[in-house]
Amino acid sequence: MKSQTIHAPTAEQIRRAPKVVLHDHLDGGLRPGTVVELARENGYGSLPYDDTDKLGSWFREAADSGSLERYLETFAHTVGVMQTENALRRVAAECAEDLAADGVVYAEVRYAPEQHLEGGLTLEQVVEAVNAGFREGERRARENGHRIRVGALLTAMRHAARSLEIAELANRYRDSGVVGFDIAGAEAGYPPTRHLDAFEFLKRENNHFTIHAGEAFGLPSIWQALQWCGADRLGHGVRIIDDIQVAEDGSVELGRLAAYVRDKRIPLELCPTSNLQTGAVDSYANHPIGLLRRLHFRVTVNTDNRLMSGTTMSREFEHLVETFDYALDDLQWFTVNAMKSAFIPFDERVAMIDDVIKPGYATLKAEWLFR
Ligand SMILES: O=c1[nH]cnc2c1ncn2[C@@H]1O[C@H](CO)[C@@H](O)[C@H]1O
Ligand SMILES: [Zn+2]
């Protein structure tokens, strides 16, 4: 007998499915052509290629190094061309447009304001230029028949010492486009507890933050992010797998930290393709997302850096469908998980789930009936 579950979602259905991304770097998602044009306009002379196709492949290959540190070196070129208000505004507008064209309905996009001051901008000018770009991109997407909402997350670089200042900046703009805070950069050697003052400030302000943890470094980083710093979500968090034992007979035992993460419904911002590139995981089939989803962790699927990983939300979903035989119900589950974990107010999250995400998937799930 034919049933709905035997139909794997097609690439085209995946693209139309409403999607939510919580972990996407603004400076990791530029169009290669935009990098080339901005470099020319701003006299940035260090690009490895000024041919769009070659540059696009260069980013993907250079980032595919098996090390987070080398992966991060490629950002010198994107950050390098994002030093003026015009450039920031353009990159943010295109980011919103590209996500919307891929079927993303809600996005939290992060960047580190402190990395965009070389051209003389102030932190405030950086935030306002990016916000203006997001609003412009949302508007252009709407004109093309796509609906998207984009919130910004302000990142502080974990090797630097400006996190309290950036946390204060995020707090100042919390009612105008900035929905939370993050720390990023090389993980080994830079534990999140270096930035306790920033996290404590945000907690006192009842504000939200996520922390890159458990990507290139294991459980101690996750443990600090949660139990010392009080993170609302984990950026990656994929190494939580190190605290889960699977026995030969398939029975599973969670350590204290993994149990805490699951019990407290701590959202994991998983980024499968990025993990392959930085060497955190060796194949899609071996990606912990399969087990974490089965064990009902609060798993979300994300792009991390669309340029460096040559990816989109649709492509991440396609890889997972191919690898784990996921159906539309699984993709809806990831999407609802992400929306539940967003940093915007509860009533807006519920409305997104009930009025946008569930109806979107219901339409797709009914399509097999009319083939
Ligand atoms: O996967 C990642 N792990 C840690 N840091 C990252 C990752 N992707 C990007 N960045 C860092 O975050 C900065 C702000 O967006 C980027 O410039 C990059 O250095
Ligand atoms: Zn990241």
Side-chain angles (χ1 to χ4, degrees):
M1 203 172 77
K2 267 192 170 181
S3 81
Q4 173 186 17
T5 48
I6 64 171
H7 298 288
T10 64
E12 190 271 334
Q13 284 181 313
I14 292 173
R15 198 195 45 76
R16 279 189 294 132
K19 290 172 287 297
V20 171
V21 63
L22 300 179
H23 191 133
D24 185 272
H25 292 258
L26 184 67
D27 52 329
L30 286 77
R31 301 174 186 169
T34 299
V35 181
V36 170
E37 284 178 31
L38 289 176
R40 199 173 297 141
E41 278 166 31
N42 299 310
Y44 178 83
S46 315
L47 285 189
Y49 292 101
D50 49 18
D51 173 85
T52 299
D53 291 338
K54 282 195 184 138
L55 185 66
S57 320
W58 179 85
F59 272 110
R60 290 192 299 276
E61 283 156 23
D64 205 15
S65 57
S67 126
L68 176 61
E69 284 74 13
R70 277 163 59 204
Y71 178 90
L72 294 178
E73 285 169 14
T74 61
F75 286 80
H77 301 297
T78 53
V79 169
V81 301
M82 294 168 71
Q83 299 296 337
T84 65
E85 284 178 320
N86 277 342
L88 287 165
R89 187 179 167 131
R90 171 172 174 182
V91 168
E94 291 178 352
C95 168
E97 268 189 305
D98 291 351
L99 292 173
D102 187 45
V104 173
V105 293
Y106 178 79
E108 290 180 3
V109 178
R110 63 190 74 195
Y111 64 98
E114 68 200 72
Q115 298 192 123
H116 304 278
L117 308 177
E118 282 163 27
L121 297 180
T122 63
L123 290 171
E124 287 77 10
Q125 284 171 321
V126 171
V127 172
E128 285 169 29
V130 172
N131 281 349
F134 285 148
R135 301 295 81 75
E136 190 178 316
E138 289 170 340
R139 210 160 43 240
R140 277 196 244 145
R142 197 155 53 237
E143 286 162 13
N144 289 315
H146 302 296
R147 298 185 297 184
I148 185 167
R149 264 190 65 178
V150 182
L153 299 177
L154 302 191
T155 293
M157 298 309 292
R158 55 203 310 157
H159 60 267
R162 298 187 80 157
S163 47
L164 179 58
E165 198 184 349
I166 302 303
E168 285 167 350
L169 187 70
N171 201 53
R172 224 172 314 135
Y173 282 90
R174 67 186 301 175
D175 295 320
S176 24
V178 174
V179 300
F181 174 80
D182 164 52
I183 60 168
E187 189 174 2
Y190 300 101
T193 42
R194 289 183 84 233
H195 306 282
L196 262 187
D197 51 351
F199 302 127
E200 281 170 359
F201 165 76
L202 289 168
K203 280 194 274 184
R204 285 197 301 274
E205 295 295 332
N206 305 301
N207 211 327
H208 311 284
F209 57 94
T210 176
I211 295 181
H212 274 77
E215 176 190 18
F217 202 72
L219 297 175
S221 176
I222 295 179
W223 175 70
Q224 283 197 3
L226 295 176
Q227 312 305 15
W228 287 81
C229 307
D232 296 284
R233 307 194 305 233
L234 292 170
H236 295 280
V238 63
R239 297 304 341 147
I240 197 64
I241 199 74
D242 299 345
D243 201 34
I244 302 176
Q245 305 303 329
V246 183
E248 297 238 327
D249 66 355
S251 64
V252 174
E253 202 179 322
L254 304 192
R256 296 269 186 222
L257 182 60
Y260 182 91
V261 168
R262 187 170 72 163
D263 290 345
K264 298 284 268 189
R265 318 305 300 139
I266 308 284
L268 303 175
E269 304 166 357
L270 297 182
C271 309
T273 303
S274 167
N275 290 158
L276 293 187
Q277 290 185 297
T278 61
V281 170
D282 66 6
S283 67
Y284 289 107
N286 287 333
H287 197 286
I289 192 168
L291 180 62
L292 295 169
R293 189 257 176 281
R294 274 208 311 285
L295 297 176
H296 280 268
F297 279 76
R298 175 70 74 79
V299 171
T300 72
V301 177
N302 301 275
T303 45
D304 210 10
N305 297 292
R306 285 170 288 117
L307 172 64
M308 286 74 180
S309 294
T311 196
T312 59
M313 274 304 288
S314 292
R315 263 178 235 148
E316 294 299 313
F317 272 176
E318 281 171 43
H319 288 302
L320 297 178
V321 165
E322 254 168 52
T323 310
F324 299 106
D325 285 329
Y326 288 146
L328 282 167
D329 276 328
D330 299 285
L331 305 186
Q332 173 174 325
W333 183 79
F334 290 125
T335 307
V336 169
N337 274 351
M339 201 62 237
K340 283 180 178 169
S341 312
F343 288 159
I344 56 170
F346 175 73
D347 53 346
E348 297 175 24
R349 300 196 313 248
V350 170
M352 273 286 193
I353 291 169
D354 289 344
D355 302 335
V356 179
I357 295 169
K358 287 185 176 172
Y361 280 91
T363 301
L364 294 169
K365 280 189 270 182
E367 284 175 354
W368 72 285
L369 290 165
F370 304 102
R371 282 183 185 180

